[in-house]
Amino acid sequence: QKEVEQDPGPLSVPEGAIVSLNCTYSNSAFQYFMWYRQYSRKGPELLMYTYSSGNKEDGRFTAQVDKSSKYISLFIRDSQPSDSATYLCAMSVGAGGTSYGKLTFGQGTILTVHP
Amino acid sequence: GAVVSQHPSWVICKSGTSVKIECRSLDFQATTMFWYRQFPKQSLMLMATSNEGSKATYEQGVEKDKFLINHASLTLSTLTVTSAHPEDSSFYICSVTMPKNIQYFGAGTRLSVL
């Protein structure tokens, strides 16, 4: 079983739809949670960063962390064709952990928003 | 966030030659950088941790003599793929680590070995 599981999709939605992307994890030592967006043949771009359980909103994006269920989500409201990309969840352990500083990535979800 | 510059963006080389990829942190002094490899339609695979002023730490299964990493300053880490072969063709990406474990990535380097 992988430490981080992410549905690879692909996911295809019409413009304006609400998109829900999810990851589950098994390592209870994960303390930092991130969502990255990656366009084809480009490096990942940080979208959201969260530390504690709960919601964090930034424009059309909302990140949700539920540590008790080991489940994180990214919601995209009013999706646009420019949102078409691969979305990667990533997480890392807290200070003192043996892998501190390293990120563990999900497999990535390919999203297409069509006009 | 940190601005990370990676160069070149695309390199084509002949089998047996060596290729150097540069990763620069333009606005942050980075004691730690990471190097990743990514195959098409796959996630990022961590290759090594680049530590300023000391030897890099390689992940299991990554050949340290094949992938030479030098982190001579707080703003520059280099990855040299030595004696490259077609199976080394891939997308290589570096990242800079900031406080709270946030990583910012370079644009990546596409390596094609003929």
Side-chain angles (χ1 to χ4, degrees):
Chain A
Q1 181 188 6
K2 294 182 179 179
E3 275 193 297
V4 180
E5 296 279 358
Q6 181 178 5
D7 187 343
L11 186 61
S12 180
V13 301
E15 183 175 355
I18 297 175
V19 176
S20 173
L21 305 168
N22 312 294
C23 288
T24 58
Y25 62 95
S26 57
N27 188 349
S28 58
F30 286 141
Q31 298 292 324
Y32 302 94
F33 305 91
M34 283 143 273
W35 285 96
Y36 288 89
R37 176 174 63 193
Q38 186 178 24
Y39 292 112
S40 181
R41 295 179 179 176
K42 297 291 184 184
E45 170 194 7
L46 180 67
L47 283 177
M48 299 289 283
Y49 165 86
T50 52
Y51 173 68
S52 59
S53 285
N55 294 353
K56 182 177 181 179
E57 189 174 317
D58 184 2
R60 296 186 295 113
F61 299 93
T62 299
Q64 196 172 74
V65 174
D66 183 348
K67 287 186 177 180
S68 62
S69 301
K70 296 189 179 68
Y71 186 88
I72 70 171
S73 300
L74 177 71
F75 297 96
I76 306 174
R77 290 184 299 281
D78 187 25
S79 56
Q80 303 294 311
S82 58
D83 294 328
S84 299
T86 298
Y87 289 79
L88 297 153
C89 65
M91 41 199 84
S92 67
V93 301
T98 56
S99 300
Y100 182 68
K102 296 183 181 178
L103 292 181
T104 301
F105 286 89
Q107 299 93 310
T109 300
I110 300 171
L111 171 67
T112 301
V113 181
H114 50 88
Chain B
V3 179
V4 183
S5 174
Q6 191 172 338
H7 178 81
S9 58
W10 190 7
V11 57
I12 302 173
C13 70
K14 293 182 178 180
S15 185
T17 60
S18 294
V19 175
K20 180 184 284 188
I21 303 169
E22 291 187 349
C23 181
R24 294 184 182 273
S25 177
L26 299 184
D27 58 353
F28 179 76
Q29 293 188 321
T31 55
T32 302
M33 296 185 183
F34 293 96
W35 285 96
Y36 295 84
R37 185 174 181 175
Q38 187 177 35
F39 291 104
K41 299 191 186 302
Q42 293 189 24
S43 192
L44 282 73
M45 182 189 78
L46 179 64
M47 298 176 65
T49 304
S50 174
N51 302 298
E52 188 267 335
S54 64
K55 291 184 179 180
T57 305
Y58 291 82
E59 295 299 301
Q60 192 173 9
V62 177
E63 301 175 58
K64 59 182 66 177
D65 295 330
K66 176 75 170 175
F67 300 100
L68 300 180
I69 291 172
N70 183 276
H71 193 155
S73 77
L74 289 171
T75 59
L76 175 64
S77 174
T78 61
L79 169 68
T80 301
V81 183
T82 62
S83 186
H85 291 284
E87 57 266 29
D88 298 323
S89 298
S90 190
F91 192 55
Y92 294 88
I93 314 172
C94 69
S95 74
V96 166
T97 296
M98 296 190 74
K100 298 183 180 179
N101 279 359
I102 298 175
Q103 288 189 27
Y104 290 91
F105 290 84
T109 297
R110 184 177 164 199
L111 172 62
S112 298
V113 185
L114 304 178

